Amino acid sequence: MSHLRIPKSWTIQRSTPFFTKNNVPKALLTHHNTAAGVFGQICVMEGTVTYFGYPDQETSEHEMTVVIRAGEFATSPPQYWHRIELSDDAQFNINFWSEEIVDQPFFQAG
């Protein structure tokens, strides 16, 4: 899961600012998914971000865990339910990739 390949023809449509424990959007810490046709790429600059993947919106037990350390990245496929946890010193951002410009939010909360 941690490196599902983003299609070669896709490009970054939007990047978030860098987040820390102090400014991370609460939606990222709760059950949410990436929009249809959008890959999320979590890029960790400092600390650790732990990614928990779920098979669907209702399931509370995660089916996968990916630990992303400083200097690493992981991808989240379109429409896959997940949430993250941060170490105290974490700093990361997210690049959103798609084939074309997506006229909708890049993720939705559960």
Side-chain angles (χ1 to χ4, degrees):
M1 176 354 259
S2 65
H3 293 292
L4 291 177
R5 197 167 294 278
I6 297 169
K8 289 182 181 185
S9 63
W10 289 25
T11 58
I12 295 174
Q13 301 299 324
R14 183 170 77 86
S15 294
T16 67
F18 283 97
F19 296 128
T20 66
K21 268 199 157 178
N22 295 328
N23 69 351
V24 64
K26 299 240 185 281
L28 297 179
L29 304 175
T30 61
H31 215 72
H32 68 283
N33 77 356
T34 312
V38 176
F39 257 94
Q41 179 187 37
I42 303 167
C43 302
V44 179
M45 298 299 291
E46 293 181 25
T48 303
V49 174
T50 304
Y51 175 102
F52 298 95
Y54 300 87
D56 55 51
Q57 183 176 5
E58 288 80 32
T59 304
S60 60
E61 186 69 30
H62 60 274
E63 66 181 359
M64 75 167 48
T65 303
V66 179
V67 177
I68 315 159
R69 293 176 178 80
E72 298 176 344
F73 73 90
T75 57
S76 186
Q79 297 184 292
Y80 185 68
W81 289 92
H82 60 279
R83 70 176 179 84
I84 61 169
E85 289 181 0
L86 310 177
S87 65
D88 289 339
D89 60 344
Q91 183 177 353
F92 74 101
N93 81 321
I94 305 170
N95 297 315
F96 293 101
W97 295 73
S98 70
E99 188 169 23
E100 55 189 49
I101 295 175
V102 177
D103 190 24
Q104 63 183 359
F106 285 91
F107 65 88
Q108 74 177 43

